[in-house]
Amino acid sequence: MDDDADQQHPTGAGISAHYPQRQLALARAFLTSTAHPDDNSGTDSHAENWRNAEARVARWRAVLAGIADGRLAIGSRTPVAGLPAWVTPEVVRGGFATSAASAEGPLQPYEHEAAALAGVAAERGALFAYCLTEPGLSRLYDLLDSGGYEAAVPEEAALLTVAWLARAGDAAGALELVDVLEPFADRLRFTPRPSALPAPDAEAVHRRTVGDAVTTLTGRRPNAAVEAQREALTVWQPFGDQLLAHWLETAEAGRVLERTPDSAWTERGAVLLRRYEELAAAHTRCTKHRDPKENLGILRGARAETAAGRPLDARRLGLLRHAVASMVRRRGRPGSDRHTELRTRQAVQTAQPSHHDLAQLVLRRLSGLPQETGVADVSPLVADVSAHEAHEAHATPAGHTTRLPAGTPVPAAIRQVVEAALSAPIDTLVERGMVPSAEVLAELVPQLVAVAGAQSYPDEALRTLMAANYRAFRNRRSLLLSDLTGQVRVDELPWVRAVAAHRVGEDGRAPARTALRRLGELAVQAFPGTLLPNALVRELGVLARQAELDAPFVEELAADIFTGTFTPKYLAAARAAADLLGGTLYERYYAIDYAAVHDLATAEAGKADKAGKAGKAGRANKAPARGRRPRSSPGFTELCAQRAEVSGGWSIASNGKIIEQAQILTTHNLATLVIRVGISPEPGWDDLAWRSFTTVCRATARIHDNLRPLSTIKDAAYAWRQLVFHLSLCEPAAQARVIAGLRGEAARHPAHVAARLAPALAGLRQAARGGAADADAGRRLLGWTTGPHWLHPAPRT
């Protein structure tokens, strides 16, 4: 799902059209500033930019038109009138749905080809009907067995699911699914998209595809400055040497025109002038030779004058003599030892291939690989130039040929582009530094979750199908939702529900549990001091449901749209933290009464059970429901507001303080990972504490001279909270050792860092001794404040 519209939380009453109107205005402004594709001045990239801008304007117009005529219900799980929640909507920035579905629009090329092969009309309804015939099902069976398909949107997996159910003997399930799909058969793509690629490796993931690497390298243009220098050394300096030698023929010791030139000299000069015109037309990177005040320009201009039969006046003659003398003085006469040594050294320099030439070599290596996947071994792609490659000559865009010396290494900038397409276990990518942040990790996780979830199906063809469906589902962008409504989950798709009965029991949950624990440990130990991004939290939640674990994972809420209400899972996560951290340093430092939190969670859970049973009984008796499970936790909301010391009024800062208290109480998923999932990071909790504090120091260092330090202060507070959490799980001796060494670690950073953090360190030591963190000189380090923060400006040292 798309992170720029992660709206799974309260949005407040009423969603206006102001944001779409603003986005439409921006899109129109960009369209106005972009060259029209019909303009003669526009390049291919300009034309593409114009088309993209035009499409963007059209999408925002559709949003506003849908709001105006009632076809769109912004904030609802079913925003498009006539389309159920399971249909993938087209969503633009901010979580706004247009009036279209992602699986509609003109027929795709593969649909036209399928219709032609089937001998039916090129219409979706006709294709849908054909797929339910015996020959149509036979083709779907072949795709299921080969795995030669992919799904760009989840809907493209629907008819394959019908075929699998029919072949498995579940005729009732197949017919029921057909009934659900048939009303939309004329509008949506339900037919599978053929692909020549094999199913992805269950363990391997990749950040970029080979095609992505090709696109990046293709887009890299030659370095203008480097190529200009190369042209100067290979074209204009040799020509300048020839022109200098030509003038030196007229006199000894550089005294130009002391004797009358003969006809042969005159003819050689005419050849040089014609040669200049040819070079100037072919080589345009350098312009220095055109300057009449430069030495080469003086020599050429004087030769043109004499060729035209005009004698050189005293001024031009003086310039000519000065230019010749200075060129000889600086480099020696052409052919002399000094001059030859210089030109040889420069020739070696220019013989070195440019980054652009080496990028073209790597592109040739990539061209024979499947473009839609990663690559298992990148080493041959970034190896030094081979003898065979050195022997080959290739034309450059400038029209000359180039050879690459054998043994030339591929530059790091090019290697990094290719290495991003490495397909390997996610642990390997993290170890190699190819996953630099938790956000990047979150991008890769859906590939793992797709495979883990599919392992619960015993049939191999169904496993492959459900994995492809999940990968497509994770491309579904989040909707802007109101009233604590949750995003559509993958198990709500009709074709996923249709095969739910074909999952296995306990053994089927094992892969999800293994993947959940592995992913949790990887995220915590690879990025200590970093808040788990919402995209990663969502995937952890999916794995928890697949594993059937009671593991409440909670998202980071946005302070600008928060209205002071938390769903019950936040209190459930706080209860998990209470079970783990009662009586620890964490409870003392943040002044939490985890026993009271536990009691509150027990009481609200009891009320929820009673309400749920009452609602269920009412539905069974066909009577009005007398109760339903609550969608919010008023007790947890009140507790967070009390701890944040916020009462009345609305502001982003006040919201932030409340949200931060929720993160403190729940540990933002860390306690859930430890006590419910069972993670046990290999480096040990003391190592994670050290590394979290390093993150704190780095963030604090960025506060200095920062005109807008609040976001950086929040980052420091997030990392500090993880420091306290990790310390709380250390053995007493290890905990004491780490706390004793933190002051020394702070001293390794700029002096203002230790000065800023001194109150927080004092508070941590006080809490470790059993006291209050905010007593005496100690301070409790929090990120949000409604007034000036004590971390900024720097205290006096």
Side-chain angles (χ1 to χ4, degrees):
M1 291 190 181
D2 194 288
D3 274 345
D4 69 5
D6 181 35
Q7 309 294 348
Q8 301 185 21
H9 320 301
T11 60
I15 299 173
S16 73
H18 175 74
Y19 182 84
Q21 288 169 344
R22 173 63 176 161
Q23 291 299 313
L24 176 60
L26 291 173
R28 281 174 170 164
F30 183 75
L31 182 63
T32 302
S33 66
T34 305
H36 190 280
D38 294 334
D39 291 347
N40 293 330
S41 60
T43 63
D44 289 342
S45 62
H46 285 147
E48 182 179 358
N49 288 339
W50 191 91
R51 287 190 292 270
N52 291 338
E54 188 180 45
R56 181 179 168 190
V57 168
R59 288 193 295 268
W60 282 111
R61 281 176 176 161
V63 172
L64 289 169
I67 294 174
D69 61 21
R71 286 179 293 120
L72 286 179
I74 302 300
S76 167
R77 293 177 99 232
T78 54
V80 183
L83 292 182
W86 55 263
V87 173
T88 307
E90 181 184 64
V91 179
V92 293
R93 183 176 179 84
F96 287 85
T98 69
S99 300
S102 294
E104 65 178 331
L107 263 65
Q108 300 288 304
Y110 83 89
E111 293 178 293
H112 283 287
E113 184 177 349
L117 289 173
V120 300
E123 300 172 352
R124 290 202 170 107
L127 273 174
F128 185 89
Y130 170 77
C131 287
L132 301 179
T133 66
E134 185 173 344
L137 286 171
S138 178
R139 290 187 180 180
L140 292 177
Y141 296 155
D142 290 342
L143 283 177
L144 282 170
D145 292 335
S146 67
Y149 58 86
E150 60 183 346
V153 291
E155 286 83 348
E156 293 174 6
L159 278 173
L160 279 173
T161 309
V162 171
W164 187 90
L165 289 167
R167 190 168 65 174
D170 188 354
L175 290 173
E176 183 178 347
L177 179 55
V178 168
D179 288 341
V180 174
L181 301 177
E182 196 276 334
F184 310 97
D186 290 325
R187 183 174 180 181
L188 304 180
R189 297 193 305 273
F190 292 128
T191 50
R193 183 185 298 259
S195 171
L197 298 175
D201 188 323
E203 287 292 317
V205 296
H206 53 273
R207 283 191 64 188
R208 301 287 184 266
T209 65
V210 171
D212 293 334
V214 168
T215 299
T216 301
L217 292 177
T218 301
R220 291 194 172 185
R221 304 267 68 85
N223 186 299
V226 171
E227 294 306 314
Q229 182 186 32
R230 188 186 303 276
E231 183 181 282
L233 294 175
T234 59
V235 176
W236 296 113
Q237 287 197 359
F239 178 77
D241 292 341
Q242 295 173 15
L243 196 55
L244 174 62
H246 178 68
W247 277 113
L248 287 173
E249 292 179 22
T250 67
E252 296 297 326
R255 298 181 65 190
V256 182
L257 292 179
E258 289 295 319
R259 61 185 177 84
T260 303
D262 55 27
S263 59
W265 184 88
T266 301
E267 179 58 31
R268 286 194 298 274
V271 171
L272 284 173
L273 290 176
R274 290 194 297 271
R275 175 63 176 157
Y276 172 81
E277 296 299 332
E278 294 171 356
L279 292 176
H283 303 281
T284 58
R285 295 185 182 277
C286 288
T287 58
K288 191 175 181 180
H289 60 89
R290 299 182 184 277
D291 189 344
K293 296 180 180 180
E294 292 289 335
N295 287 339
L296 181 55
I298 293 171
L299 266 60
R300 180 184 62 82
R303 190 64 191 85
E305 287 291 303
T306 58
R310 292 187 291 270
L312 300 180
D313 58 28
R315 176 181 173 279
R316 187 179 289 275
L317 185 59
L319 288 173
L320 176 60
R321 286 173 172 165
H322 180 271
V324 170
S326 64
M327 293 172 74
V328 171
R329 185 171 58 253
R330 288 177 58 191
R331 305 183 184 91
R333 294 174 66 93
S336 67
D337 291 343
R338 183 159 67 97
H339 187 276
T340 301
E341 180 184 356
L342 172 64
R343 294 301 187 228
T344 300
R345 189 165 64 249
Q346 291 174 338
V348 171
Q349 177 184 348
T350 58
Q352 296 297 319
S354 68
H355 282 204
H356 183 259
D357 292 337
L358 290 166
Q360 298 307 303
L361 169 66
V362 174
L363 279 171
R364 293 193 289 274
R365 293 173 176 176
L366 291 168
S367 62
L369 299 177
Q371 302 294 293
E372 297 85 359
T373 64
V375 58
D377 184 9
V378 299
S379 54
L381 302 172
V382 295
D384 297 348
V385 177
S386 68
H388 173 71
E389 292 167 331
H391 181 71
E392 295 180 332
H394 295 277
T396 68
H400 61 273
T401 58
T402 181
R403 293 182 185 274
L404 302 175
T408 303
V410 174
I414 298 175
R415 286 201 311 271
Q416 289 168 2
V417 173
V418 179
E419 287 168 352
L422 174 65
S423 182
I426 197 165
D427 314 67
T428 301
L429 299 185
V430 171
E431 290 172 5
R432 294 190 181 186
M434 297 171 62
V435 183
S437 67
E439 287 75 15
V440 173
L441 178 64
E443 294 175 7
L444 303 178
V445 170
Q447 299 176 57
L448 290 178
V449 177
V451 173
Q455 295 304 309
S456 61
Y457 300 98
D459 182 79
E460 181 178 354
L462 185 55
R463 285 200 298 270
T464 302
L465 175 59
M466 289 297 102
N469 174 76
Y470 187 84
R471 287 192 295 271
F473 179 79
R474 270 310 179 225
N475 291 327
R476 178 175 174 137
R477 299 183 68 175
S478 298
L479 283 167
L480 176 63
L481 299 175
S482 59
D483 299 326
L484 296 170
T485 307
Q487 300 287 339
V488 172
R489 299 200 306 264
V490 68
D491 52 14
E492 295 181 67
L493 303 182
W495 46 97
V496 176
R497 290 203 309 267
V499 296
H502 298 273
R503 300 177 68 173
V504 296
E506 177 64 30
D507 291 340
R509 295 192 291 269
R513 290 182 177 178
T514 300
L516 178 58
R517 184 167 55 252
R518 174 186 174 195
L519 179 59
E521 289 179 345
L522 186 62
V524 170
Q525 68 191 38
F527 309 107
T530 301
L531 202 69
L532 297 182
N534 283 350
L536 181 56
V537 171
R538 281 195 297 269
E539 300 302 330
L540 293 173
V542 170
L543 285 172
R545 288 194 297 273
Q546 292 173 351
E548 298 184 13
L549 285 178
D550 179 19
F553 288 103
V554 296
E555 299 86 357
E556 180 186 14
L557 307 184
D560 58 343
I561 62 172
F562 178 66
T563 57
T565 307
F566 295 95
T567 57
K569 70 177 178 180
Y570 284 83
L571 182 54
R575 178 173 181 171
D579 293 339
L580 177 68
L581 297 171
T584 66
L585 170 64
Y586 190 94
E587 182 181 43
R588 292 193 301 275
Y589 181 84
Y590 287 109
I592 303 170
D593 185 351
Y594 267 134
V597 171
H598 191 281
D599 292 344
L600 175 62
T602 301
E604 286 204 2
K607 292 179 182 178
D609 286 340
K610 289 181 180 179
K613 290 176 181 178
K616 187 175 182 180
R619 288 190 298 273
N621 296 328
K622 297 183 179 180
R626 292 172 293 170
R628 62 175 59 182
R629 290 187 178 276
R631 299 175 66 181
S632 64
S633 174
F636 185 75
T637 300
E638 183 180 357
L639 176 60
C640 291
Q642 289 175 349
R643 289 178 53 81
E645 298 180 348
V646 171
S647 59
W650 185 97
S651 72
I652 292 178
S654 296
N655 288 349
K657 291 181 67 176
I658 296 172
I659 291 170
E660 183 173 30
Q661 288 302 319
Q663 291 177 336
I664 290 171
L665 292 170
T666 64
T667 72
H668 196 70
N669 303 303
L670 295 179
T672 296
L673 285 170
V674 173
I675 199 168
R676 300 292 173 83
V677 178
I679 70 167
S680 180
E682 286 185 7
W685 299 112
D686 54 341
D687 178 82
L688 295 181
W690 272 112
R691 292 165 61 199
S692 294
F693 186 66
T694 299
T695 303
V696 172
C697 292
R698 289 173 179 168
T700 305
R702 296 197 302 272
I703 297 173
H704 192 63
D705 290 336
N706 189 337
L707 298 178
R708 299 179 180 272
L710 296 183
S711 63
T712 305
I713 290 173
K714 285 184 287 183
D715 290 341
Y718 294 153
W720 182 269
R721 187 172 67 243
Q722 294 203 21
L723 159 70
V724 180
F725 176 86
H726 298 322
L727 282 173
S728 299
L729 299 185
C730 289
E731 294 294 329
Q735 182 186 105
R737 183 175 63 253
V738 173
I739 292 176
L742 294 182
R743 185 182 298 173
E745 171 64 20
R748 294 179 55 250
H749 297 267
H752 74 90
V753 170
R756 292 180 196 274
L757 292 177
L761 289 171
L764 182 62
R765 291 191 296 270
Q766 290 167 183
R769 292 193 294 266
D774 55 355
D776 300 327
R779 299 292 296 264
R780 191 175 291 115
L781 177 52
L782 303 175
W784 284 90
T785 178
T786 52
H789 200 287
W790 54 267
L791 273 181
H792 185 267
R796 294 180 179 178
T797 57

